[in-house]
Amino acid sequence: QVQLVESGGGSVQAGGSLRLACAASGYTYRRYSMGWFREAPGKEREGVACIDNDGDTIVTDSVKGRFTISQDNAKSTVYLQMNSLKPEDTAMYYCAADFERSRWCALLPGLYNNWGQGTQVTVSS
């Protein structure tokens, strides 16, 4: 069972930056895709970015050009660099693993088997 632990959330002013990290443990052979999702109060969970085992990425349009997903396979860690943050980015951010796909990740929450506990990001205007 893979355990995912997010870190790096916090409160920032609009225009600021945060770097989220998701550390995976309990599974030594990395052949799966990872995604970042967020859930704001009263809204459905939405996909933000994902990265497959080869490093190919997908970023949702609303954060394209501001957010970057990357990974360090040696550390079993996936990162989400968030720049130019906006109040509408305020949400609980979750990382998740899709064990069915080592290639061609997708921003569909239902595809992901394993989830972290989440880290809160709050952006004030």
Side-chain angles (χ1 to χ4, degrees):
Q1 179 87 9
V2 174
Q3 290 186 325
L4 304 176
V5 179
E6 301 99 332
S7 61
S11 297
V12 295
Q13 290 191 324
S17 298
L18 285 172
R19 188 193 197 201
L20 306 184
C22 174
S25 62
Y27 192 81
T28 57
Y29 184 59
R30 166 72 194 279
R31 292 297 298 179
Y32 49 88
S33 296
M34 295 289 294
W36 283 99
F37 297 81
R38 65 186 181 185
E39 189 170 330
K43 295 187 177 181
E44 292 186 354
R45 188 169 297 190
E46 66 167 339
V48 177
C50 65
I51 187 166
D52 70 14
N53 198 63
D54 286 3
D56 291 327
T57 64
I58 296 176
V59 180
T60 196
D61 286 346
S62 63
V63 305
K64 200 166 289 183
R66 300 187 297 121
F67 291 12
T68 303
I69 187 170
S70 62
Q71 63 189 358
D72 183 336
N73 284 338
K75 296 182 178 180
S76 298
T77 301
V78 176
Y79 302 96
L80 185 68
Q81 178 66 44
M82 306 186 295
N83 298 328
S84 302
L85 282 160
K86 303 176 181 180
E88 51 262 45
D89 295 318
T90 295
M92 184 72 79
Y93 283 71
Y94 299 89
C95 72
D98 175 2
F99 293 113
E100 299 298 323
R101 286 161 191 79
S102 61
R103 293 283 284 134
W104 315 120
C105 65
L107 295 178
L108 299 173
L111 298 178
Y112 290 75
N113 324 93
N114 204 302
W115 293 80
Q117 82 290 349
T119 185
Q120 178 68 37
V121 171
T122 303
V123 185
S124 58
S125 58

